[in-house]
């Protein structure tokens, strides 16, 4: 290669903060480089993060050191580029994208957007074309450009006022450095690549023309066109022949490597200005991905916040306690001695180890105890030969319950509901619920959007401590069937001790954070006592009529076959309804319906797509009905019989208290939250939920609770008047939508008004509302405008909620539950709209969830005070279901209704509708 002369000027970066420089980052390229350059890393949940960590570190360094005045990042669009249409083999030799690369790329893009950096892409174009377009735009506006990349293709853009910065190697390329690297100046890079090709993109080039030959040809003949204009002057026969025979390949290659400057991206200098980082969003992402270093860099670099939004102090995380050798407890006397030692400490943590994850039935293996000065392990169910002596579980829990219920230091557990259910098997003493800290619930309240709140997650979040999961001590070759009870007691004790000692430190930190975040009330008065209530509900379970399920299943079979036949008639032939590919062909190829959404490999036929296509053809609607019935049949009618516990004859669903960011409960194993409420299909399923002998089913359902919460929180006089006068709020809305008197509102108009009312609560767009109502978007817009004109207080309230969330980064429910809302200042309209929707509906939905939780806690206390024989058996959304003892039918319904209606005090009455029957279907 030609060496540049010594006096050739070297490229340098502009001065930090130069107001006349645009920095453009090749984000897709950096993600790819970081992915392959760094060793694999992942979160405690197993989510890969090494590429995210690498690119984020580079991005933060660039922002801190270069302080760019204008900044944009370019990303590759999802679909193929125009080059693929020109040459089908373009990039065909590339290996399939690793499955863990794309999610990391999405995280990096989200981080860039949270920093306020526009992420630009153009369908049919590549990131390099977007960069070329930005370079042209910047130069047209008098700006210099720094291209943050290491892609040699981009060297063709280097020139006057444009440099390329490989920040990973800290190299800067101008004309001099380009010539040193490739042997030719930047203006010849395109021609050079056309000749030599590019194996990484499968650009063919001219066969047998390598880098050295290409440089010699360009030096001699000037450029690509000059070479082919003077082929006759080339004296090497082989070279002359390959150039003569392969000019078409060369022309194609030059087109493929040429960067387009006309990519259709939004070019607005104001939007390219750096500033306005979304600090709550960045914190949320970094915490979710366990990027503690990035979070620390963020706090140090942007820690000042705005004058209106001072950042809370960053509390140092407590250091983990030093390791200790746990004592193995084999007798009652040893256990009492250990607990006496623990009682002298300031904090104790307890964790019960099970063979599985079912608190009701999984065999108990042992109990781990930790205090600040030591740790102990009580083996209870190890089964291998040669194990040490073990206490009988009942005796061990009797001693533990006495300790938990007496004078003791701060007690921490992880998942109090789980511990109570385990202890209840061996002891009727449930005083463990008087625990001071449930680290799972505290973690959930402090980080509502993080769906994982395991012991490992808590240790990582509060202590930066990595704990091994249970699977780590099981035999690797037997992981699928390895049993904890077969692991040596000493190994189990050594595994368990760091966990409980971590809970001690984490629980103290969490108590401080709960107080700082003003979450102590919702934690102590709502979530912690609710754990006991849910434990009782899960333990009680619900009785199922298997014969009724079988009868309903046969009814469903008939309806499913009818729907299948109708779908085949509408399609014009039979096809596999359960096959997305077959349905894709019918909808888009045969019926010619428009493609709404694409996945990586196909045209989507998901529920949203079918909903959008339904007004255009009857088949999508019938497919949705078929899917609903088949799902209900498989989820409930076919699955519930196998979920019955043979020991109790009842189904015991598991209520998940620390999952939904809004505060809603969910259920699993089986999930009973998705049984349709208003449909005949749902009623048939509920008919199979029956009362035990001597009992009836009592259903108590809050009426329009979210609209009542909205009336209270917005103080809207129209809504308050409607509920205070016990008027039909849906009819009142209909009068505003359709300009008719209340007594002339039709059933259909009331139904549409009801949809509008709840669309406002859930933050639906006019597009979604139009789809749900089957009307034009313009008409849906008018409905929403009419709603806000009638209920102007609601409009002011919702706008205020978003403004406050934008200022503070979070929203709260009436009872104090907090949810962080990142993305409110995103420059991406879709992200910003989604964040605003969360900000609007979370306080309403979350308050409704808090109210039913409060009602459950209050009702449990009321039932216990009466020593009632009736008991709660289910909670589904805004409904409580009880088994009502025949001796209490005359008195308990009124108590339930009163307790629920007085759970909180609103500006409007809370109304609970009750019903009684031998089945849930009859009662609801």
């Amino acid at each position: 290669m030609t060496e540049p002369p010594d006096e050739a000027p070297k490229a340098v970066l502009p001065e930090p903060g130069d107001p006349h420089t645009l920095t453009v980052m090749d984000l897709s390229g950096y993600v790819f480089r970081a992915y392959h350059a760094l060793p694999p890393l992942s979160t405690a949940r197993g989510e890969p993060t090494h590429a995210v960590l690498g690119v984020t570190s580079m991005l933060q360094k660039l922002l801190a050191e270069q302080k760019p005045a204008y900044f944009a990042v370019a990303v590759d669009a999802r679909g193929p580029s125009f080059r693929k249409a020109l040459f089908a083999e373009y990039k065909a030799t590339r290996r399939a994208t690793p499955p863990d690369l794309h999610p990391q790329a999405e995280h990096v893009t989200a981080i860039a957007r949270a920093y306020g950096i526009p992420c630009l892409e153009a369908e049919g174009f590549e990131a390099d074309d977007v960069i070329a377009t930005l370079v042209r735009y910047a130069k047209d506006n008098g700006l210099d450009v720094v291209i943050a990349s290491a892609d040699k293709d981009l060297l063709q853009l280097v020139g006057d006022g444009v440099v390329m910065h490989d920040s990973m190697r800290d190299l800067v390329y101008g004309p001099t450095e380009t010539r040193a690297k490739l042997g030719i100046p930047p203006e010849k890079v395109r021609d050079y690549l056309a000749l030599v090709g590019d194996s990484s993109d499968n650009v063919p080039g001219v066969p047998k023309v390598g880098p050295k030959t290409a440089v010699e040809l360009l030096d001699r003949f000037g450029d690509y066109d000059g070479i082919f204009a003077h082929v006759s002057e080339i004296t090497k026969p082989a070279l002359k022949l390959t150039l003569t025979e392969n000019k078409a390949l060369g022309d194609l290659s030059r087109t493929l490597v040429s960067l387009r400057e006309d990519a259709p991206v939004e070019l607005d200098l104001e939007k390219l200005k750096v500033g306005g980082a979304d600090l709550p969003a960045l914190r949320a992402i970094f915490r979710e991905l366990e990027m503690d270093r990035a979070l620390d860099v963020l706090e140090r670099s942007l820690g000042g916040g705005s004058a209106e939004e001072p950042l809370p102090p960053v509390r140092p995380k407590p250091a983990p306690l030093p390791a200790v050798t746990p004592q193995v407890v084999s007798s009652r006397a040893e256990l009492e001695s250990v607990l006496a030692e623990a009682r002298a400490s300031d904090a104790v943590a307890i964790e019960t180890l099970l063979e599985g994850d079912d608190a009701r039935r999984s065999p108990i293996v042992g109990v781990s105890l930790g205090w600040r000065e030591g740790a102990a392990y009580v083996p209870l169910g190890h089964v291998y030969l040669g194990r040490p002596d073990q206490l009988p579980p009942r005796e061990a829990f009797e001693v533990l319950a006495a300790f938990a219920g007496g004078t003791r230091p701060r007690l921490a557990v992880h998942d109090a509901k789980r511990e109570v259910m385990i202890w209840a098997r061996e002891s009727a003493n449930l005083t463990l619920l008087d625990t001071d800290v449930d680290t799972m619930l505290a973690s959930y309240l402090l980080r509502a959007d993080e769906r994982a709140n395991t012991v490992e997650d808590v240790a990582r979040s509060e202590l930066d401590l990595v704990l091994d999961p249970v699977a780590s001590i099981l035999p690797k070759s037997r992981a699928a069937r390895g049993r904890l009870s077969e692991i040596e007691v000493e190994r189990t004790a050594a595994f368990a001790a760091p966990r409980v000692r971590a809970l001690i430190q984490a629980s103290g930190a969490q108590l401080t954070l709960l107080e700082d975040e003003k979450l102590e009330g919702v934690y102590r008065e709502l979530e912690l006592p609710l754990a006991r209530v849910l434990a009782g509900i899960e333990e009680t379970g619900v009785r199922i009529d298997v014969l009724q399920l079988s009868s309903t299943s046969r009814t469903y079979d008939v309806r499913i076959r009818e729907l299948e036949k109708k779908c085949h008639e509408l399609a014009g032939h039979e096809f596999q309804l359960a096959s997305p590919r077959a349905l894709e062909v019918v909808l888009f190829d045969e019926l010619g319906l428009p493609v709404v959404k694409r996945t990586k490999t196909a045209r989507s036929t998901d529920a949203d797509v079918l909903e959008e296509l339904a007004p255009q053809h009857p088949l999508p609607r019938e497919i949705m009905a078929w899917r609903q019935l088949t799902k209900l049949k498989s989820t409930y009618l076919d699955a519930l019989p196998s979920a019955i516990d043979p020991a109790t004859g009842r189904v015991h669903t598991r209520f998940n208290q620390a999952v939904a960011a809004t505060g809603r409960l969910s259920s699993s194993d089986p999930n009973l939250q998705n049984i349709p409420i208003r449909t005949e299909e749902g009623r048939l399923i509920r008919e199979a939920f029956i009362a035990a002998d001597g009992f009836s089913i009592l259903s108590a359902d809050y009426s329009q609770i979210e609209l009542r919460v909205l009336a209270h929180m917005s103080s809207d006089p129209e809504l308050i008047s409607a509920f205070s006068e016990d008027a039909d709020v849906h009819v009142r809305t209909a009068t505003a939508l359709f300009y008719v008197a209340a007594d002339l509102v039709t059933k259909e108009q009331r139904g549409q008004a009801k949809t509008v009312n709840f669309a406002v609560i859930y933050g639906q767009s006019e597009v979604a509302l139009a789809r749900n109502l089957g009307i034009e978007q313009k008409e849906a817009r008018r409905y929403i405008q009419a709603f806000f004109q009638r209920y102007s207080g609601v409009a002011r309230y919702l706008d205020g909620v978003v403004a406050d969330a934008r200022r503070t980064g979070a929203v709260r429910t009436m009872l104090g539950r907090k949810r962080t809302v990142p993305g409110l200042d995103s420059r991406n309209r879709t992200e910003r709209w989604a964040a605003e929707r969360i900000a609007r509906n979370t306080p309403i939905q979350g308050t409704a969830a808090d109210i039913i939780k409060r009602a459950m806690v209050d009702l449990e206390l009321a039932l216990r005070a009466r020593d009632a024989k009736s008991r709660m058996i289910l909670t589904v959304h805004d409904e409580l279901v009880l088994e009502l003892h025949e001796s209490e039918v005359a008195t308990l319904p009124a108590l339930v209704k009163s307790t629920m209606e007085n759970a909180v005090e609103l500006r409007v009455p809370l109304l609970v509708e009750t019903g009684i029957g031998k089945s849930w279907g009859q009662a609801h």
Side-chain angles (χ1 to χ4, degrees), residues 705-720:
I705 186 171
E706 290 177 336
L707 282 172
R708 293 172 191 269
V709 167
L710 178 61
H712 170 83
M713 299 186 83
S714 68
S715 300
D716 181 84
E718 279 284 331
L719 273 182
I720 290 175

PDB file of all heavy atoms in Angstrom, residues 705-720:
ATOM      1  N   ILE A 705     -65.994  -0.077  39.144  1.00  0.00           N
ATOM      2  CA  ILE A 705     -65.075   0.483  40.130  1.00  0.00           C
ATOM      3  C   ILE A 705     -64.073   1.450  39.508  1.00  0.00           C
ATOM      4  O   ILE A 705     -63.755   2.482  40.100  1.00  0.00           O
ATOM      5  CB  ILE A 705     -64.347  -0.642  40.904  1.00  0.00           C
ATOM      6  CG1 ILE A 705     -63.498  -0.038  42.029  1.00  0.00           C
ATOM      7  CG2 ILE A 705     -63.524  -1.523  39.977  1.00  0.00           C
ATOM      8  CD1 ILE A 705     -62.921  -1.063  42.970  1.00  0.00           C
ATOM      9  N   GLU A 706     -63.597   1.157  38.297  1.00  0.00           N
ATOM     10  CA  GLU A 706     -62.587   2.029  37.714  1.00  0.00           C
ATOM     11  C   GLU A 706     -63.176   3.378  37.324  1.00  0.00           C
ATOM     12  O   GLU A 706     -62.521   4.419  37.464  1.00  0.00           O
ATOM     13  CB  GLU A 706     -61.923   1.339  36.527  1.00  0.00           C
ATOM     14  CG  GLU A 706     -61.030   0.176  36.965  1.00  0.00           C
ATOM     15  CD  GLU A 706     -60.410  -0.566  35.813  1.00  0.00           C
ATOM     16  OE1 GLU A 706     -60.976  -0.511  34.702  1.00  0.00           O
ATOM     17  OE2 GLU A 706     -59.367  -1.209  36.007  1.00  0.00           O
ATOM     18  N   LEU A 707     -64.421   3.391  36.838  1.00  0.00           N
ATOM     19  CA  LEU A 707     -65.071   4.665  36.546  1.00  0.00           C
ATOM     20  C   LEU A 707     -65.339   5.450  37.824  1.00  0.00           C
ATOM     21  O   LEU A 707     -65.229   6.683  37.845  1.00  0.00           O
ATOM     22  CB  LEU A 707     -66.382   4.430  35.795  1.00  0.00           C
ATOM     23  CG  LEU A 707     -66.247   4.104  34.305  1.00  0.00           C
ATOM     24  CD1 LEU A 707     -67.594   3.689  33.725  1.00  0.00           C
ATOM     25  CD2 LEU A 707     -65.681   5.288  33.532  1.00  0.00           C
ATOM     26  N   ARG A 708     -65.670   4.768  38.895  1.00  0.00           N
ATOM     27  CA  ARG A 708     -65.883   5.450  40.182  1.00  0.00           C
ATOM     28  C   ARG A 708     -64.564   6.015  40.707  1.00  0.00           C
ATOM     29  O   ARG A 708     -64.530   7.125  41.261  1.00  0.00           O
ATOM     30  CB  ARG A 708     -66.515   4.484  41.180  1.00  0.00           C
ATOM     31  CG  ARG A 708     -67.933   4.085  40.799  1.00  0.00           C
ATOM     32  CD  ARG A 708     -68.488   2.974  41.682  1.00  0.00           C
ATOM     33  NE  ARG A 708     -69.730   2.457  41.138  1.00  0.00           N
ATOM     34  CZ  ARG A 708     -70.947   2.924  41.444  1.00  0.00           C
ATOM     35  NH1 ARG A 708     -71.065   3.912  42.325  1.00  0.00           N
ATOM     36  NH2 ARG A 708     -72.024   2.412  40.891  1.00  0.00           N
ATOM     37  N   VAL A 709     -63.482   5.245  40.546  1.00  0.00           N
ATOM     38  CA  VAL A 709     -62.166   5.762  40.935  1.00  0.00           C
ATOM     39  C   VAL A 709     -61.816   6.990  40.096  1.00  0.00           C
ATOM     40  O   VAL A 709     -61.291   7.986  40.609  1.00  0.00           O
ATOM     41  CB  VAL A 709     -61.090   4.664  40.765  1.00  0.00           C
ATOM     42  CG1 VAL A 709     -59.682   5.256  40.852  1.00  0.00           C
ATOM     43  CG2 VAL A 709     -61.282   3.581  41.818  1.00  0.00           C
ATOM     44  N   LEU A 710     -62.110   6.933  38.793  1.00  0.00           N
ATOM     45  CA  LEU A 710     -61.850   8.080  37.922  1.00  0.00           C
ATOM     46  C   LEU A 710     -62.642   9.295  38.379  1.00  0.00           C
ATOM     47  O   LEU A 710     -62.119  10.419  38.397  1.00  0.00           O
ATOM     48  CB  LEU A 710     -62.206   7.721  36.475  1.00  0.00           C
ATOM     49  CG  LEU A 710     -62.036   8.836  35.434  1.00  0.00           C
ATOM     50  CD1 LEU A 710     -60.594   9.300  35.370  1.00  0.00           C
ATOM     51  CD2 LEU A 710     -62.513   8.361  34.059  1.00  0.00           C
ATOM     52  N   ALA A 711     -63.892   9.095  38.756  1.00  0.00           N
ATOM     53  CA  ALA A 711     -64.706  10.209  39.257  1.00  0.00           C
ATOM     54  C   ALA A 711     -64.072  10.824  40.496  1.00  0.00           C
ATOM     55  O   ALA A 711     -63.988  12.057  40.639  1.00  0.00           O
ATOM     56  CB  ALA A 711     -66.116   9.708  39.577  1.00  0.00           C
ATOM     57  N   HIS A 712     -63.597   9.977  41.396  1.00  0.00           N
ATOM     58  CA  HIS A 712     -62.975  10.479  42.630  1.00  0.00           C
ATOM     59  C   HIS A 712     -61.682  11.228  42.346  1.00  0.00           C
ATOM     60  O   HIS A 712     -61.470  12.339  42.836  1.00  0.00           O
ATOM     61  CB  HIS A 712     -62.699   9.306  43.574  1.00  0.00           C
ATOM     62  CG  HIS A 712     -61.850   9.676  44.750  1.00  0.00           C
ATOM     63  ND1 HIS A 712     -62.370  10.260  45.882  1.00  0.00           N
ATOM     64  CD2 HIS A 712     -60.503   9.556  44.968  1.00  0.00           C
ATOM     65  CE1 HIS A 712     -61.399  10.485  46.750  1.00  0.00           C
ATOM     66  NE2 HIS A 712     -60.261  10.064  46.212  1.00  0.00           N
ATOM     67  N   MET A 713     -60.813  10.623  41.527  1.00  0.00           N
ATOM     68  CA  MET A 713     -59.487  11.202  41.327  1.00  0.00           C
ATOM     69  C   MET A 713     -59.526  12.445  40.446  1.00  0.00           C
ATOM     70  O   MET A 713     -58.689  13.332  40.570  1.00  0.00           O
ATOM     71  CB  MET A 713     -58.550  10.151  40.736  1.00  0.00           C
ATOM     72  CG  MET A 713     -58.380   8.932  41.645  1.00  0.00           C
ATOM     73  SD  MET A 713     -57.158   7.736  41.091  1.00  0.00           S
ATOM     74  CE  MET A 713     -55.652   8.489  41.707  1.00  0.00           C
ATOM     75  N   SER A 714     -60.519  12.516  39.563  1.00  0.00           N
ATOM     76  CA  SER A 714     -60.612  13.678  38.674  1.00  0.00           C
ATOM     77  C   SER A 714     -61.467  14.799  39.250  1.00  0.00           C
ATOM     78  O   SER A 714     -61.393  15.936  38.786  1.00  0.00           O
ATOM     79  CB  SER A 714     -61.203  13.258  37.326  1.00  0.00           C
ATOM     80  OG  SER A 714     -62.562  12.879  37.470  1.00  0.00           O
ATOM     81  N   SER A 715     -62.310  14.457  40.255  1.00  0.00           N
ATOM     82  CA  SER A 715     -63.271  15.420  40.821  1.00  0.00           C
ATOM     83  C   SER A 715     -64.195  16.002  39.762  1.00  0.00           C
ATOM     84  O   SER A 715     -64.693  17.125  39.909  1.00  0.00           O
ATOM     85  CB  SER A 715     -62.536  16.566  41.553  1.00  0.00           C
ATOM     86  OG  SER A 715     -61.754  16.062  42.598  1.00  0.00           O
ATOM     87  N   ASP A 716     -64.416  15.253  38.699  1.00  0.00           N
ATOM     88  CA  ASP A 716     -65.277  15.752  37.636  1.00  0.00           C
ATOM     89  C   ASP A 716     -66.720  15.825  38.128  1.00  0.00           C
ATOM     90  O   ASP A 716     -67.287  14.810  38.559  1.00  0.00           O
ATOM     91  CB  ASP A 716     -65.200  14.834  36.420  1.00  0.00           C
ATOM     92  CG  ASP A 716     -66.061  15.342  35.267  1.00  0.00           C
ATOM     93  OD1 ASP A 716     -65.582  16.199  34.517  1.00  0.00           O
ATOM     94  OD2 ASP A 716     -67.217  14.882  35.167  1.00  0.00           O
ATOM     95  N   PRO A 717     -67.353  16.995  38.067  1.00  0.00           N
ATOM     96  CA  PRO A 717     -68.702  17.136  38.635  1.00  0.00           C
ATOM     97  C   PRO A 717     -69.751  16.280  37.935  1.00  0.00           C
ATOM     98  O   PRO A 717     -70.682  15.784  38.578  1.00  0.00           O
ATOM     99  CB  PRO A 717     -68.998  18.632  38.475  1.00  0.00           C
ATOM    100  CG  PRO A 717     -68.044  19.127  37.429  1.00  0.00           C
ATOM    101  CD  PRO A 717     -66.830  18.280  37.554  1.00  0.00           C
ATOM    102  N   GLU A 718     -69.613  16.076  36.615  1.00  0.00           N
ATOM    103  CA  GLU A 718     -70.587  15.267  35.886  1.00  0.00           C
ATOM    104  C   GLU A 718     -70.528  13.805  36.325  1.00  0.00           C
ATOM    105  O   GLU A 718     -71.556  13.166  36.554  1.00  0.00           O
ATOM    106  CB  GLU A 718     -70.330  15.373  34.384  1.00  0.00           C
ATOM    107  CG  GLU A 718     -70.892  16.624  33.737  1.00  0.00           C
ATOM    108  CD  GLU A 718     -72.401  16.536  33.550  1.00  0.00           C
ATOM    109  OE1 GLU A 718     -72.923  15.423  33.389  1.00  0.00           O
ATOM    110  OE2 GLU A 718     -73.053  17.584  33.576  1.00  0.00           O
ATOM    111  N   LEU A 719     -69.314  13.276  36.426  1.00  0.00           N
ATOM    112  CA  LEU A 719     -69.168  11.883  36.860  1.00  0.00           C
ATOM    113  C   LEU A 719     -69.615  11.716  38.306  1.00  0.00           C
ATOM    114  O   LEU A 719     -70.292  10.748  38.658  1.00  0.00           O
ATOM    115  CB  LEU A 719     -67.715  11.431  36.709  1.00  0.00           C
ATOM    116  CG  LEU A 719     -67.287  10.857  35.363  1.00  0.00           C
ATOM    117  CD1 LEU A 719     -65.820  10.428  35.412  1.00  0.00           C
ATOM    118  CD2 LEU A 719     -68.150   9.680  34.944  1.00  0.00           C
ATOM    119  N   ILE A 720     -69.225  12.645  39.151  1.00  0.00           N
ATOM    120  CA  ILE A 720     -69.615  12.559  40.560  1.00  0.00           C
ATOM    121  C   ILE A 720     -71.129  12.615  40.685  1.00  0.00           C
ATOM    122  O   ILE A 720     -71.744  11.858  41.448  1.00  0.00           O
ATOM    123  CB  ILE A 720     -68.946  13.691  41.375  1.00  0.00           C
ATOM    124  CG1 ILE A 720     -67.430  13.421  41.476  1.00  0.00           C
ATOM    125  CG2 ILE A 720     -69.564  13.807  42.764  1.00  0.00           C
ATOM    126  CD1 ILE A 720     -66.658  14.523  42.149  1.00  0.00           C
TER     127      ILE A 720
END
